[in-house]
Amino acid sequence: MATFMATHDVDDVDHWLKSPLLGEIVARFEGATVRKFSNPEGSNTTGVLLDVPDHLVPQMMEHMESEEVLEKEKADGVQHDTILLLVEA
């Protein structure tokens, strides 16, 4: 299992937290899980912790750059240029 942590800014934290779109993206990859995080200080910085079965990592990484995902990010107010992706060492 590969673990990824990502942070990014969003236009509206409450909207992003309630939106099902990230779950829809991850649901395509059987066995993958995602957890959402928000900054308790009240900024628009949010994060996700994503666990992906090792054999699905290449497909997941490719899918994350697809037009479909970019459209869902936009609908959720994710500021794409602020995404920072980290991989568990």
Side-chain angles (χ1 to χ4, degrees):
M1 188 72 72
T3 300
F4 298 87
M5 179 175 63
T7 62
H8 48 65
D9 293 342
V10 295
D11 297 333
D12 181 332
V13 174
D14 289 333
H15 169 81
W16 179 79
L17 287 171
K18 293 174 185 173
S19 174
L21 295 180
L22 180 59
E24 291 172 9
I25 293 168
V26 175
R28 290 178 172 233
F29 301 94
E30 186 175 339
T33 61
V34 65
R35 292 185 285 165
K36 293 181 176 182
F37 297 84
S38 63
N39 185 333
E41 301 288 320
S43 79
N44 283 13
T45 300
T46 58
V48 297
L49 192 62
L50 179 63
D51 291 313
V52 181
D54 291 331
H55 70 283
L56 295 176
V57 170
Q59 294 97 323
M60 172 69 87
M61 296 303 290
E62 183 178 333
H63 185 62
M64 294 307 286
E65 294 300 322
S66 71
E67 190 63 34
E68 176 189 350
V69 171
L70 294 174
E71 288 176 13
K72 287 183 179 187
E73 285 177 359
K74 187 175 181 179
D76 267 354
V78 173
Q79 299 170 16
H80 186 80
D81 61 328
T82 65
I83 294 174
L84 173 63
L85 180 65
L86 303 172
V87 180
E88 183 178 31

